[in-house]
């Protein structure tokens, strides 16, 4: 690995629980306004066979002084480069905006001859479903209300208005990236897709999530949980089990 490649990987990737005996690597991509640390608990919960690499977008936490990126495909390009040093099977898991970014990373991995072992998408409509969203044009107060309606960008921030107001520029940037995204791919992925959604999510319907089936020529499964946009917090154990099941063909023992 050359120095430039290593630096790129370190800039984008957080390894909270290195797993030297891993069977597969799961790359986790956070939601709008989210950060790599959102997946810290999941990294520990998946056991020694699955190493979680959590992606840190620019402009948050230890990258807070870096310019924000308001383009999903540009994010995907840079994340794909950051994954170059990682040998072995790689799966992708994205929540909300992260699901769209994960899809674009999957496209690039496939074009490079290394299809993702699995694409797991959560709380996000399929790329083929186009809807006009303009949350990035809301006033600060309106945007704050939108975040609270979704359950907060992070659980801790949801309780602290001053802190969440500090994250509004990041949220506005990410909402703009999502609003401007258009899928330009026509061929389905070769990777299997697992889709997750909350039954009462105010921003995506079960039907819109079910449309992900159109984006793979492999197996597709849809899982609906009780709850809203951040149903993961209420069903962390069940989501962990589901992820292990989705990755089971690459584990030593199937679940």
């Amino acid at each position: 690995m050359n120095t430039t490649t290593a630096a790129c990987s370190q800039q984008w990737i957080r390894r909270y629980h290195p797993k030297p005996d891993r069977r597969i690597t799961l790359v986790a991509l956070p939601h709008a306004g989210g950060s790599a640390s959102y997946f810290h608990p999941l990294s520990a919960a998946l056991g020694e066979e699955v190493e979680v690499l959590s992606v840190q977008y620019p402009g948050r936490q230890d990258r807070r002084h870096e310019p924000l990126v308001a383009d999903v495909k540009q994010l995907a390009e840079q994340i794909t480069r950051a994954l170059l040093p990682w040998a072995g099977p790689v799966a992708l898991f994205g929540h909300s905006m992260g699901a769209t970014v994960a899809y674009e990373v999957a496209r690039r991995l496939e074009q490079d001859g290394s299809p993702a072992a699995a694409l797991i998408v959560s709380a996000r409509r399929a790329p083929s479903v186009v809807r006009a969203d303009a949350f990035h044009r809301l006033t600060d107060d309106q945007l704050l209300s939108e975040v609270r309606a979704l359950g907060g960008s992070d659980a801790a921030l949801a309780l602290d208005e001053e802190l969440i107001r500090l994250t509004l520029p990041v949220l506005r940037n990410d909402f703009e990236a999502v609003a401007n995204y258009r899928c330009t791919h026509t061929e389905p992925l070769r990777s299997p897709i697992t889709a997750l959604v909350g039954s009462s999510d105010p921003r995506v319907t079960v039907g819109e999530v079910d449309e992900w089936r159109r984006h793979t020529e492999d197996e597709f499964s849809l899982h609906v949980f009780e709850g809203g946009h951040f149903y993961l917090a209420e069903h962390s154990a069940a989501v962990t089990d589901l992820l292990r099941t989705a990755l089971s063909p690459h584990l030593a023992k199937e679940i």
Side-chain angles (χ1 to χ4, degrees):
M1 185 194 320
N2 62 46
T3 303
T4 302
T5 302
C8 177
S9 184
Q10 292 172 5
Q11 184 181 29
W12 286 86
I13 302 299
R14 301 294 173 268
R15 298 178 70 194
Y16 295 119
H17 301 93
K19 312 282 181 65
D21 298 322
R22 68 183 180 274
R23 306 278 297 187
I24 190 169
T25 300
L26 179 64
V27 181
L29 299 104
H31 49 280
S35 56
S37 60
Y38 183 77
F39 294 108
H40 184 278
L42 178 66
S43 176
L46 279 171
E48 294 305 310
E49 293 180 314
V50 182
E51 176 159 359
V52 175
L53 303 182
S54 193
V55 173
Q56 187 76 296
Y57 305 139
R60 52 216 87 193
Q61 292 185 332
D62 54 336
R63 300 188 71 184
R64 62 188 178 278
H65 297 303
E66 297 180 39
L68 296 165
V69 177
D71 186 294
V72 166
K73 294 180 180 180
Q74 185 180 340
L75 276 175
E77 288 282 356
Q78 297 184 65
I79 292 165
T80 304
R81 286 198 295 271
L83 295 177
L84 288 176
W86 295 91
V90 170
L92 302 164
F93 173 43
H95 179 67
S96 195
M97 181 185 83
T100 304
V101 180
Y103 170 74
E104 286 292 330
V105 173
R107 300 296 322 190
R108 285 154 178 77
L109 291 176
E110 191 163 294
Q111 290 165 6
D112 291 342
S114 302
L119 173 61
I120 305 162
V121 294
S122 169
R124 182 68 186 159
R125 61 183 180 267
S128 53
V129 178
V130 178
R131 188 182 341 125
D133 287 336
F135 297 122
H136 59 291
R137 297 196 180 101
L138 298 176
T139 67
D140 283 356
D141 286 342
Q142 289 171 331
L143 191 55
L144 181 61
S145 296
E146 172 64 22
V147 172
R148 291 197 181 284
L150 291 177
S153 62
D154 285 302
L157 292 184
L159 302 175
D160 191 319
E161 181 167 332
E162 182 178 353
L163 280 177
I164 207 167
R165 282 187 181 278
L166 292 175
T167 73
L168 288 181
V170 177
L171 282 160
R172 194 179 300 282
N173 171 87
D174 292 353
F175 284 146
E176 180 179 1
V178 169
N180 291 336
Y181 171 77
R182 293 294 181 271
C183 179
T184 56
H185 312 291
T186 57
E187 294 298 318
L189 291 169
R190 299 203 299 272
S191 306
I193 296 179
T194 300
L196 294 67
V197 63
S199 58
S200 55
D201 192 320
R203 289 293 170 255
V204 63
T205 68
V206 173
E208 289 175 327
V209 176
D210 187 62
E211 287 295 307
W212 279 98
R213 69 174 63 247
R214 299 177 179 271
H215 294 275
T216 179
E217 63 182 34
D218 205 308
E219 295 182 358
F220 172 83
S221 60
L222 173 68
H223 304 269
V224 182
F225 294 84
E226 289 187 10
H229 197 67
F230 287 93
Y231 68 89
L232 297 88
E234 306 163 55
H235 302 284
S236 58
V239 171
T240 299
D241 288 344
L242 194 154
L243 291 176
R244 284 187 59 83
T245 298
L247 302 176
S248 63
H250 300 274
L251 304 183
K253 296 180 180 179
E254 293 194 4
I255 303 304

